[in-house]
């Protein structure tokens, strides 16, 4: 019998982004130190059909919405604000280091980090960083489904 971890219910080994062996620990500080691009997340691992991504952010992203998926944010360093357009009106949540927040599917939102931040995101594999509906994508925002770590 193999001691290799498996994905529950499948008997298959877990998947990892290209270039990294599955089942190996990931150092988030090392992953973040491997790149400098802002608003351009790197995939550190996969959990079932979801990506765990890290990103460095500064300034504002853009208004966008993910129609069929929630988006989870965890602030690893710095502070992140997320403006939300909800049925009851517009509001802003502020996430300090260590704080987490989930934007529900379909809710328009705009993350921002005036002083810069490092964040962890959890969303379905293949989810675009600019969502399904969005404003014009500015040059400083990478419209991607995530990049492999260098």
């Amino acid at each position: 019998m193999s001691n290799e971890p498996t994905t529950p219910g499948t008997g298959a080994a877990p998947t990892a982004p290209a270039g990294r062996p599955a089942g190996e620990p990931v150092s988030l500080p090392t992953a973040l130190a491997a790149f400098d691009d802002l608003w351009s997340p790197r995939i550190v691992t996969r959990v079932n059909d979801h990506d765990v991504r890290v990103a460095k952010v500064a300034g504002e992203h853009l208004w966008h919405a993910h129609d069929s998926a929630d988006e989870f944010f965890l602030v690893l360093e710095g502070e992140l604000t997320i403006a939300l357009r909800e049925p009851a009106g517009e509001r802003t949540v502020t996430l300090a280091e260590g704080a987490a927040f989930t934007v529900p599917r379909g809710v328009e939102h705009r993350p921002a980090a005036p002083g810069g931040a490092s964040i962890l995101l959890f969303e379905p594999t293949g989810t675009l960083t600019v969502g399904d509906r969005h404003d014009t994508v500015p040059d400083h925002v990478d419209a991607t489904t995530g990049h492999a770590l260098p």
Side-chain angles (χ1 to χ4, degrees), residues 57-125:
V57 298
E60 290 186 345
H61 197 263
L62 63 122
W63 282 103
H64 67 285
H66 303 277
D67 291 332
S68 60
D70 299 336
E71 186 172 20
F72 173 85
F73 292 84
L74 170 65
V75 178
L76 301 172
E77 185 177 358
E79 183 176 274
L80 183 76
T81 61
I82 304 175
L84 303 156
R85 290 178 177 155
E86 299 173 308
E90 196 170 305
R91 72 179 174 116
T92 300
V93 296
T94 300
L95 305 176
E97 190 170 308
F101 183 77
T102 300
V103 176
R105 68 191 71 203
V107 173
E108 286 184 276
H109 58 287
R110 183 187 65 213
S118 295
I119 61 175
L120 181 139
L121 302 153
F122 186 79
E123 53 198 344
T125 298

Side-chain angles (χ1 to χ4, degrees), residues 39-55 57 61 64-74 101-107 109 111 119-132 142-147:
W39 300 110
S40 185
R42 299 308 193 263
I43 301 167
V44 294
T45 192
R46 292 201 170 97
V47 178
N48 298 319
D49 59 349
H50 285 68
D51 288 342
V52 178
R53 305 172 182 176
V54 292
V57 298
H61 197 263
H64 67 285
H66 303 277
D67 291 332
S68 60
D70 299 336
E71 186 172 20
F72 173 85
F73 292 84
L74 170 65
F101 183 77
T102 300
V103 176
R105 68 191 71 203
V107 173
H109 58 287
I119 61 175
L120 181 139
L121 302 153
F122 186 79
E123 53 198 344
T125 298
T127 299
L128 277 171
T129 56
V130 295
D132 303 304
D142 185 10
T144 181
T145 58
H147 300 283

